[in-house]
Amino acid sequence: MTVTGSLHSFDVSTGVDGPGTRFVAFLAGCPLRCQYCHSPDTWFRRSGQRVSADSLLTEVRRYERFLKVAGGGVTISGGEPLQQAAFTRDVLRGCKEMRLHTALDTSGFLGDRADDGLLDATDLVLLDIKSGVPATYRKVTRTGRLSPTVRFAHRLADRGMPIWVRFVLVPGLTDDRANVDAVADIAASVATVERLEVLPFHRLGAPKYSSLGLPFALADTPAPSEALLQRVHSQFRDHGLTVY
């Protein structure tokens, strides 16, 4: 019997969620409550549609030829896909059977749920490191701990798996020099990290909070200035990281 999961939505995008043009499946449900989250509508599984792995793979097959020609593949995102590890594993396996490049977009907080079968079907991990100072990580996520992400990163490296680290730069929240250096130290200690992407904070998700009747903690926070972006990029490069 095929495994079922809660799917919030899917999209086809270029240059955002891995190499090439990607079919991106956004799963519903996440244990973290990041202050800067732009998709609060994916926090709960009940916000998604119950689908089987086979039915999602049928949707992927509609784009299979195009994805291959475009040098892309499939990314499983969220929410947090490792909250639905069995479903994620079966979808990734099906994509590999189609010979599509696969990527897993995760915070790593639930990394212990990713069994070897899931990782065997994954070509690339997009690892969101929310912060490098544990107290700041807790402040950002409101519910999470940093150590599971670090443990997961080193497990991936031990398997020789490519990692793209992602870090959201939020003025007044994640931009402290010590916090940035701590993220850099973590990334630089993981041998298979290929690049680090600095994602500037934005408020595009604010209307979703309003429609859900939720407060948006960063409603008055500006996007990072060019000077701040340059400083943070420089900090990461000083640790020998390839920065985007």
Side-chain angles (χ1 to χ4, degrees), residues 192-243:
T192 57
V193 169
E194 297 182 342
R195 61 198 278 179
L196 190 146
E197 298 179 344
V198 178
L199 307 179
F201 166 74
H202 59 73
R203 292 180 294 198
L204 298 179
K208 293 182 181 179
Y209 285 83
S210 179
S211 67
L212 293 169
L214 297 171
F216 182 35
L218 303 178
D220 297 322
T221 300
S225 66
E226 187 59 34
L228 177 56
L229 281 166
Q230 290 180 6
R231 190 211 88 197
V232 170
H233 277 237
S234 179
Q235 280 185 263
F236 285 128
R237 283 195 295 266
D238 286 346
H239 284 74
L241 296 163
T242 299
V243 185

Side-chain angles (χ1 to χ4, degrees), residues 69-91:
V69 170
V74 176
T75 299
I76 308 299
S77 186
E80 172 51 66
L82 293 183
Q83 198 172 70
Q84 303 183 58
F87 178 73
T88 297
R89 179 195 61 221
D90 283 10
V91 173

